[in-house]
Every structure is written in structure tokens, then in C-alpha cells.
Amino acid sequence: MAGNKSYTIVEYFGGDDGYRCGYCKNEKGNFSHGMWSHTMTVQDYQDLIDRGWRRSGKYVYKPIMNKTCCPQYTIRCHALKFQPSKSHKKILKKMSKFVSKGELPTGQGDGEPMESVCEEAGPHEPSKVCPAEVKYPAVTDIQKEVAECPAITEVQKEVGDAASTASETSGKDPVSVPDGRTTATAPKPGMGADPGRPPCRKAKDLRKERRLQKEQMRQHGDGVSSVVSPTPPSPTQTNQPKTLEDFINESLPDNSSHCLEVRLVRSNPPSPQFRASFDASYQVYKLYQMAIHKDPPDKPSESQFRRFLCDSPLEAEYSPDGPEVGYGSFHQQYWLDGRIVAVGVIDILPTCVSSVYLYYHPDFASMSLGSYSALREIAFTRQLQKQSPKLSYYYLGFYIHSCPKMRYKGQYRPSDLLCPETYVWIPIERCLPQLENSRYARFNQDPDAGDARVLKDVGRALVLYRRAVMPYAAYSRKRKGSSDETEVQQYAGLVGQDCAERILLYRS
């Protein structure tokens, strides 16, 4: 990313009008600030989600927390410290039984709801701005150097399968996963009969590892994006608790009734693999929306699917010390016995894997796919972190305490909620008592604490005017009598100093 002359270009819409809430169904109770993003760097988006923003397609929105009917708090899980609970282990065992024996549970699983696609972008139409035509004269004179992504050493191309299921992926995930480049951890010496040699390993494990390596080399040669599969377990030591990866690997037996592989394909710009599987992926989405969200047959249109789940403002970005697959937006496709059964939409960002959305074939609604995919995503994040030290968090989107069915996101501990006033992270255990008493809460208990990254001088905010980049102070001098200072001040306060001095706010 360093050296890439990329800029984020947005149009700000404010948040005066109320919209229908997808959680409590209030017709006019959902209030949020919104921006249409023509293009966005991954660092800018990372900084925005750390201030309560979230994207749906190219629309980026931030709930007005003290006004909206169902306050939505950004939640993140400390992936490296996560330990699966009893209920999580039960879900993995359920998946193992299905993969190995073909036994599909009856009923609707745990009743985990999936989030609705945000349609707040509907009322707003972006202006026709072509980023390629933007002039960048002496931007360094008016803008600090664009912050480089934190060191993120290369990630295995198979990208840490363990978490693979993006956003709520894993539909019918029997998981035998042929994988390619999974690198097994070398066993420690001194444990075998000969102290100078590593311990013996089971022939079954060796065969599986060779098969995974061979398959990944084939995928690499064919140009397939990456096959995401669990990291082969290294010899475990006695008295060591099982890790999440151990439980996931146990759910993927060699001799099984089904074979599932998880493929990571870049959605923006669309890779050849994404294009080739687009129709099959869309058909799964359409079935999901009709069965799970009760949409009429004509509503889950292809244009809606493209707009909210395929389009993204995040361009592909690469860094010498970043993931081999790069940063940006991806679809993780679950292929069961040769067909797509579930798709997770995720963003890979400098310090996190951010879950966007999951859709799956409704035949597998009993598989607790929301929880299963979250477990896989956490493991995926842990795999990325092995070579990318700062990429250590898993963002689950929004936690909505006022909607009981959405509280399941708080079960992935340890996790934090973002204070809506000071933008610092607070352990969820300290937040829940406040949310029991009030829908809206300021989690930071320091009464003197404020927003440390607020922009004090609105004149420093960057704007894009007539294809030229300039600070707002210069723009206001050119546009004598301009009446948009209040709007720009509001925008700058919401995005914070760092973003306001990097992002280009479009002015007509």
C-alpha cells in the first residue's frame, strides 16, 4: 500500500430522515448518517469502522446512536484469546456428524437471525464522479502522508482456513476441505525414541498433509484464488486445552460422506473465479432471502445482489508485508460436493477481518450457520495474524442489545464494544449492565474523556472540487458565501481528524 497514490472519495448525506428499522420494524425509527463512497482505501475504512461506521455495498453509514430506535454498537472479538464455549463445541460436533455421516439435523437450529442487507442507500443517488479524472496537484502540501497499513506480514495463500467462513458463511459446510499450501508446524525435537529426531506422526496425518499440499499447488497453478482450509494440527502436548483449530479439524474427518471446500475469491475488482460462479452464487442468495427474510420472489433482484453484496468501494491493495491475497473485499464460497451452498462476504483490513454478510441455501438452516461461520472466521483471523501481527481482531458488525435475537454476537469472548462518544473499546462485560438499563449508553466511565481524534479546525478537511483537491479553507474562499460549513463540520466530527485530513469530500 505504501507508494500507492490512492484516495478515498465520498459524498456525505447527513441523517435527518428516518427509515424503516430491520430489527424492530419501526417504519421511521432508524436514523443514521450516510456517505456514498466512490472509492476507499482499506486504511480509511479501518479508521471509519473504529468510529462506528459500516458499509453496505458502497454506502457507508453510522447509526445516530442517541436517536435511532435500535442502537447498534460496533463489536470486535480478540481472536487470539478466544476459546470456544460448550455451545460452540456442540455446533462443531453437529457439523462433524453431518460431514462424516450425512446426518442433517431437523428444525431451525438455534434460531440465529442473519442481519438484513442495509437498504438505506436507496434514497440517495451519487454524483457522477470519475476518480481517474481527479487532479492531485501538490497534495502533499495540504495533506499528511497517507498512513500506511500496519505491518502485516504475508499470509498463507490458503489463508488460514480456520476462519474461512466470512460474515456468516458456512452454509452446509461439511468440511473435508482439500487444501493446498497449508504449512504444518514442525514438530519439536527430542520427543521420539531417538532424542535427536522429531516424534512419529500418524500415517493418516501425513497422507492428509500431502494431499492438502498437492491440492493447493494445483489450485495455485490453475489461478484459483485460494482454497481455505484448516491448519493441520501439530502434535499436541499433554495437559494442553484443545484450541479452536483442534475442534475444527476434528469436525473434518478424512473418510466422510461429504466434501466441502471453501474458496476465497476477490469480489472487487471481480476475479475470473468470482465472475464464473456469479450466477450460482446469486441463486443461493435469492433462495436465502425468500426463505429466511420472507422476501417476495421479485425482490431479491440481481441488481440488489450486486449493489449490496458485490459492489465495494475498497480497491484491491497489496503490501510487501501484507497478505498474499491482499486487502479488500472478498467472497468466501462454500462448495459442498461440487456446488455452492453458502457464501460469506468479508473485508480484509489492516488490523481485522470484518464480517459483512452471509447467505446460504435454506436447506441447511438447521446447521447453526451463523455461529459456525463466526467460529471459522475467528480461526481465519488467527491464521492471518501468524504472519500479520497487527491483524488480530475479528469484527462481527453491530451488537444490538435491544434486539434479543441479535445478542448472540456477544457470546464470542473476549470481546469489546465501541463507546459511541469517546470511540474507545470497552470490555463487553462492563457494558451489559448499562445496556440492561438503557438502550443508549456511554461506556467510557471517565466523565472528562472526549473524542481524542476530533478535528478542531474544519478548514483542514480535504475536499474535491472541480476535480481538484484542496483543504476546505481554500474551497470556502473560492466559493464566497458558501453555506455548507455546518454540514462539513458535522461530517468532519463524525469521521475524525485522521480521515477528514485524508478523505476527499466531494463538493459540487
Side-chain angles (χ1 to χ4, degrees):
M1 279 176 297
N4 284 4
K5 205 163 188 179
S6 300
Y7 296 89
T8 296
I9 302 175
V10 301
E11 293 181 65
Y12 175 66
F13 293 120
D16 295 331
D17 297 328
Y19 297 95
R20 184 176 186 273
C21 177
Y23 303 104
C24 70
K25 311 307 179 186
N26 187 315
E27 289 298 327
K28 292 291 185 178
N30 183 9
F31 289 87
S32 66
H33 301 281
M35 299 188 295
W36 185 269
S37 179
H38 295 273
T39 182
M40 181 171 286
T41 68
V42 293
Q43 184 61 59
D44 284 340
Y45 186 53
Q46 177 73 68
D47 290 345
L48 286 174
I49 63 174
D50 285 337
R51 291 182 65 85
W53 294 83
R54 194 181 186 202
R55 79 173 184 88
S56 179
K58 290 189 174 184
Y59 186 70
V60 187
Y61 63 102
K62 181 183 185 338
I64 302 177
M65 301 292 281
N66 58 359
K67 185 177 181 181
T68 194
C69 54
C70 296
Q72 301 163 59
Y73 299 90
T74 302
I75 182 171
R76 71 177 186 183
C77 171
H78 294 253
L80 302 185
K81 300 177 182 179
F82 174 80
Q83 283 292 332
S85 65
K86 288 184 179 180
S87 62
H88 294 148
K89 295 172 187 176
K90 184 177 179 182
I91 289 168
L92 291 171
K93 288 179 180 178
K94 178 165 59 175
M95 185 61 68
S96 176
K97 185 178 293 186
F98 172 63
V99 174
S100 60
K101 301 179 182 178
E103 297 180 11
L104 189 65
T106 58
Q108 292 298 311
D110 299 334
E112 303 163 326
M114 304 301 150
E115 292 180 87
S116 300
V117 175
C118 172
E119 298 181 11
E120 295 179 359
H124 307 296
E125 291 298 328
S127 300
K128 303 297 181 182
V129 179
C130 179
E133 297 178 355
V134 176
K135 297 178 182 178
Y136 298 113
V139 174
T140 53
D141 294 339
I142 53 178
Q143 175 188 13
K144 293 181 179 179
E145 201 65 26
V146 176
E148 295 182 7
C149 273
I152 297 191
T153 47
E154 58 182 273
V155 299
Q156 296 180 352
K157 190 160 193 177
E158 104 246 283
V159 204
D161 118 307
S164 96
T165 67
S167 159
E168 284 198 82
T169 137
S170 165
K172 184 181 182 181
D173 309 23
V175 192
S176 270
V177 206
D179 166 2
R181 292 190 38 213
T182 313
T183 304
T185 303
K188 296 180 180 179
M191 299 294 292
D194 180 351
R197 302 187 60 170
C200 295
R201 299 176 63 189
K202 291 183 179 180
K204 181 177 70 172
D205 292 339
L206 293 172
R207 288 196 302 271
K208 184 174 182 179
E209 182 178 333
R210 285 196 295 269
R211 186 177 71 247
L212 294 178
Q213 292 172 344
K214 182 177 179 181
E215 176 65 15
Q216 219 164 29
M217 286 190 291
R218 180 187 69 78
Q219 296 288 351
H220 182 69
D222 293 345
V224 173
S225 290
S226 11
V227 176
V228 180
S229 41
T231 303
S234 55
T236 55
Q237 300 179 3
T238 56
N239 300 324
Q240 288 272 339
K242 287 184 179 179
T243 65
L244 172 62
E245 290 76 12
D246 291 330
F247 285 109
I248 291 176
N249 275 287
E250 288 177 1
S251 72
L252 314 177
D254 278 338
N255 301 318
S256 57
S257 298
H258 296 289
C259 175
L260 171 101
E261 67 175 5
V262 183
R263 301 179 186 175
L264 182 71
V265 299
R266 183 176 287 280
S267 54
N268 187 60
S271 66
Q273 295 76 31
F274 176 83
R275 294 181 187 275
S277 57
F278 177 86
D279 289 340
S281 184
Y282 166 59
Q283 290 304 319
V284 173
Y285 164 77
K286 188 171 183 178
L287 290 171
Y288 171 82
Q289 288 296 121
M290 290 190 295
I292 307 301
H293 289 295
K294 311 303 180 186
D295 283 357
D298 60 333
K299 184 178 180 183
S301 66
E302 183 177 315
S303 62
Q304 181 200 49
F305 174 64
R306 287 183 184 274
R307 184 176 188 181
F308 294 113
L309 298 178
C310 301
D311 292 348
S312 169
L314 303 180
E315 298 296 329
E317 296 186 40
Y318 298 87
S319 174
D321 58 355
E324 290 183 12
V325 295
Y327 302 99
S329 299
F330 298 83
H331 280 198
Q332 286 189 338
Q333 301 172 335
Y334 281 73
W335 290 73
L336 174 66
D337 301 333
R339 69 187 182 107
I340 294 179
V341 296
V343 177
V345 183
I346 62 168
D347 294 326
I348 298 178
L349 302 175
T351 65
C352 74
V353 169
S354 176
S355 166
V356 179
Y357 198 66
L358 166 80
Y359 54 95
Y360 56 84
H361 196 292
D363 285 354
F364 306 102
S366 62
M367 295 302 297
S368 302
L369 299 179
S371 294
Y372 180 79
S373 65
L375 295 171
R376 294 291 302 269
E377 283 193 328
I378 292 170
F380 176 57
T381 305
R382 287 151 67 119
Q383 183 68 30
L384 292 177
Q385 193 276 340
K386 289 180 180 179
Q387 297 181 3
S388 306
K390 291 187 179 181
L391 205 164
S392 59
Y393 294 104
Y394 167 55
Y395 284 49
L396 298 91
F398 288 135
Y399 174 79
I400 308 168
H401 193 78
S402 59
C403 181
K405 290 185 177 180
M406 296 304 297
R407 293 182 185 180
Y408 74 95
K409 291 185 179 183
Q411 298 171 0
Y412 302 90
R413 307 286 179 92
S415 59
D416 306 318
L417 296 185
L418 186 68
C419 176
E421 296 182 14
T422 63
Y423 303 111
V424 297
W425 295 98
I426 306 295
I428 192 171
E429 294 85 354
R430 288 166 49 188
C431 304
L432 295 180
Q434 293 177 263
L435 294 176
E436 285 294 324
N437 295 325
S438 173
R439 292 190 175 203
Y440 173 76
R442 170 194 164 108
F443 301 135
N444 192 330
Q445 296 299 299
D446 180 357
D448 298 323
D451 179 3
R453 301 305 301 163
V454 67
L455 180 65
K456 296 180 173 64
D457 180 6
V458 69
R460 295 176 58 84
L462 284 186
V463 301
L464 176 63
Y465 176 59
R466 293 184 176 177
R467 302 189 214 173
V469 177
M470 63 190 72
Y472 180 73
Y475 163 78
S476 60
R477 286 194 297 269
K478 287 178 177 288
R479 292 289 306 273
K480 293 180 180 179
S482 176
S483 59
D484 62 355
E485 182 173 350
T486 300
E487 178 184 310
V488 176
Q489 183 77 57
Q490 183 184 56
Y491 151 82
L494 293 167
V495 302
Q497 177 178 336
D498 297 332
C499 286
E501 294 180 355
R502 287 198 311 256
I503 292 176
L504 308 184
L505 176 64
Y506 177 74
R507 300 281 87 186
S508 57

